[in-house]
Amino acid sequence: MVKKSVKKKFNIIIYKTATCSYCHLAEEFLKENNISFKSIDVGNDQKAAQEMIKKSGQMGVPVIDINGKLILGFDKSALKKILGIV
Amino acid sequence: MKEYDTIIIGAGPAGLTAAIYLGRANLKCLVIGKWNLGNLYKAHIVGNYPAFSKDVTGAFLIEEMVEQSKRFGADFLEEEIINLEKKNEKRFIITTEKKKKIHAKTVIICTGRAYKLSNIKNEKELTGKGVSYCVTCDGFFYKNKKVAVIGSKNLVASEALELRTYTKEITLFTGGRELECSKILQKELEKKKIKIRKEKVIEFKGKDALESVLLDNGKLEKFDAVFIALGTTSALSFANKLGLELIETNLKVDKEGKTNLSGVWAAGDCTGSNAQAVVSAGEGCNCAISIIKELKGKNVYLDYE
C-alpha cells in the first residue's frame, strides 16, 4: 500500500482591524503561499476582541492563531518557521 | 496640486545627499523637515567626516549640504509631516502640520532615530496592555473609553485628533511643556474639546492592564489607555501607517535602500545602520540612484546626463 504523505492542516485565524497595515501584510503573505485562513475584524466585533485579548494577553493586532499557537504582529520569520515555508 | 518626483522626509545628511543626487538628475524633489533640529546639526565638533582635515561643526556640514541641494534645484519645506498615505501605484500623499497635501511618485524616509520612549515607570511592562504608540493600530480597542495622549508637538495633536474617531474622552498631557503645534491643529483641538493639561505623567499603574496614571502633583487618575506620541512623527509611525517591514525598531531595507513597499525607500539612522553622518549620506545617495534608475527607466546610473 502506498503511503500518502499527509499535509499538515493549519487552522489559522487572523485577528485584525481595518486600519492595520500589518494585518493586511499578514493576509497577503498567507494568500501568496496558498494558505487558507479566517480573518476576524475585532474593530467591529467586541466579542472577538475580548477573545483575542484573553488568548494573547494584550491588545495589539495582528494576532495570528495557528492551531492554537499565537504569533503577535506580522512576524514573517516566525510564520515561515511554523508553516514550513522556506 | 503640486506633485514631485520624490519627497524626502527628513533634512539630515541622508535626505540632503539624496536631494543633491536627485536634483542633479533633473528630478523634482522636495525636502520636508526642519534641518536645524536634526542630530548632526547639534554636533559641536565633527572630526571624522571625510574631506575635512580640521574639525567642523555639524551645523556647518548641514548648512553646506542644504546650500548644495538648493543649487541643484531641491525645494524645501520646513514643516512637520503628520500623515503619509499611498494613494495608488504611482502616488503618495503627504499631509503636513498645516494640513497641506503634497503628492509625489516616490518617497525616501530619512527621519533619523526611532520613536522616543517616555521612560515613564512601567512603560515597557504595560506596552500592549493599555500603553501604546500608535492610534491607527490600537485606537479601536478604546471605543468610548477614557484615554490620554502624551507629547508636546504636532505629532501628539494629530494623534489626539485621530483618537476622536473612537472616543470623546481625551486628555492631552504635555509633560510640563508648552504645546508647540500648528495653528490649524490647535484650532481643531479646541473645536473637538480635547483637554490640554501641562502635568507630567510619572507612572503607569495596573496589574494585567493599565488602570491609572500617577501625575507629578501626586494625583492618581484613571485611564483605559495612554498613547505616547513624543517628538515628531518618526519612521515607526510611517511604518505603522504603510505596513513597512521592520527589524526591531528599524526600517528594513535592501542594498538599494528599498523597503518592502514599492515607491518607498529609506536611508540613514532610521534603517538601523551605524549612526554616522557619512554612512547616512552614502545611503541617501544609494536611494537617489535607485530612484533615478527607476523613474528614468535605466539600468545604469550616469551622473549629469
Side-chain angles (χ1 to χ4, degrees):
Chain A
M1 207 148 83
V2 179
K3 203 175 186 186
K4 265 194 194 162
S5 65
V6 181
K7 204 177 177 188
K8 187 170 186 185
K9 174 123 201 314
F10 293 114
N11 241 337
I12 303 181
I13 306 175
I14 299 185
Y15 295 92
K16 66 163 201 179
T17 64
T19 52
C20 166
S21 304
Y22 289 115
C23 301
H24 181 72
L25 273 185
E27 289 179 312
E28 285 306 303
F29 177 75
L30 292 175
K31 281 183 197 161
E32 277 165 25
N33 286 285
N34 288 318
I35 298 173
S36 59
F37 58 90
K38 181 178 164 195
S39 265
I40 304 183
D41 184 346
V42 290
N44 282 320
D45 187 342
Q46 269 298 324
K47 203 170 157 225
Q50 289 308 313
E51 178 184 299
M52 185 197 94
I53 296 171
K54 203 171 172 202
K55 267 189 196 179
S56 65
Q58 55 88 65
M59 292 172 243
V61 282
V63 168
I64 308 169
D65 181 336
I66 304 177
N67 294 348
K69 181 140 197 221
L70 299 180
I71 295 180
L72 305 181
F74 176 48
D75 185 343
K76 211 183 201 178
S77 48
L79 277 170
K80 279 181 169 180
K81 208 172 172 191
I82 295 183
L83 300 170
I85 299 169
V86 176
Chain B
M1 191 71 55
K2 203 154 190 206
E3 184 180 78
Y4 286 91
D5 290 307
T6 308
I7 284 185
I8 298 169
I9 306 176
L16 295 169
T17 304
I20 291 165
Y21 275 80
L22 289 167
R24 284 168 71 93
N26 271 318
L27 291 176
K28 273 197 334 226
C29 72
L30 173 68
V31 179
I32 302 189
K34 298 183 179 177
W35 47 264
N36 57 339
L37 295 181
N39 285 316
L40 178 58
Y41 193 87
K42 294 180 196 152
H44 293 286
I45 305 174
V46 180
N48 55 7
Y49 198 87
F52 295 94
S53 56
K54 296 194 174 57
D55 287 347
V56 288
T57 63
F60 169 76
L61 290 175
I62 291 288
E63 280 159 12
E64 283 291 300
M65 292 183 196
V66 170
E67 275 312 300
Q68 204 173 349
S69 345
K70 283 183 177 169
R71 177 183 154 203
F72 294 111
D75 279 348
F76 279 79
L77 182 62
E78 286 176 55
E79 288 176 26
E80 276 173 46
I81 295 190
I82 58 173
N83 199 20
L84 168 59
E85 313 157 61
K86 182 166 185 171
K87 192 173 181 196
N88 55 44
E89 268 318 299
K90 308 258 169 172
R91 190 161 287 119
F92 292 88
I93 306 179
I94 270 105
T95 311
T96 73
E97 60 177 276
K98 297 192 177 161
K99 297 297 191 110
K100 273 187 210 149
K101 293 209 186 268
I102 309 168
H103 294 207
K105 293 181 189 151
T106 59
V107 174
I108 312 179
I109 299 175
C110 310
T111 46
R113 264 171 262 158
Y115 62 67
K116 288 181 174 188
L117 294 175
S118 68
N119 291 316
I120 294 173
K121 195 168 175 194
N122 296 324
E123 177 179 19
K124 289 209 174 111
E125 290 83 344
L126 290 171
T127 296
K129 300 177 189 188
V131 174
S132 167
Y133 301 89
C134 172
V135 174
T136 315
C137 314
D138 304 329
F140 78 91
F141 275 114
Y142 307 104
K143 266 191 194 138
N144 302 318
K145 298 264 161 87
K146 189 172 178 218
V147 304
V149 264
I150 301 180
S152 64
K153 300 209 166 110
N154 288 302
L155 175 62
V156 71
S158 123
E159 289 283 85
L161 290 166
E162 196 180 331
L163 266 173
R164 225 13 199 77
T165 352
Y166 304 106
T167 177
K168 286 190 182 156
E169 284 199 73
I170 304 170
T171 308
L172 197 165
F173 288 108
T174 64
R177 296 193 150 97
E178 284 300 326
L179 180 61
E180 293 171 349
C181 69
S182 70
K183 286 201 182 101
I184 292 183
L185 290 176
Q186 184 90 43
K187 274 196 184 129
E188 279 193 45
L189 290 172
E190 281 164 18
K191 204 168 141 199
K192 303 273 159 110
K193 300 198 168 61
I194 290 169
K195 302 170 211 122
I196 301 172
R197 288 162 58 180
K198 260 185 161 180
E199 292 117 302
K200 254 195 201 175
V201 172
I202 59 172
E203 189 176 339
F204 295 123
K205 282 180 174 283
K207 225 179 87 182
D208 300 314
L210 178 76
E211 285 159 30
S212 57
V213 307
L214 179 63
L215 301 172
D216 57 350
N217 58 13
K219 289 202 176 125
L220 203 62
E221 226 171 290
K222 280 193 181 157
F223 282 101
D224 298 302
V226 177
F227 289 85
I228 297 173
L230 294 169
T232 54
T233 315
S234 68
L236 288 183
S237 303
F238 296 128
N240 284 323
K241 286 179 205 286
L242 295 171
L244 300 177
E245 274 182 55
L246 296 168
I247 300 179
E248 286 179 15
T249 58
N250 301 310
L251 291 178
K252 186 178 174 190
V253 291
D254 67 10
K255 269 174 130 173
E256 291 183 56
K258 287 181 174 172
T259 65
N260 61 307
L261 189 63
S262 80
V264 180
W265 279 254
D269 288 3
C270 67
T271 66
S273 14
N274 287 321
Q276 295 298 304
V278 63
V279 171
S280 302
E283 290 188 359
C285 171
N286 280 341
C287 289
I289 291 178
S290 178
I291 291 178
I292 292 164
K293 282 191 206 164
E294 195 161 301
L295 292 183
K296 296 200 170 188
K298 308 246 174 181
N299 283 325
V300 178
Y301 166 72
L302 290 169
D303 185 37
Y304 241 127
E305 286 214 333

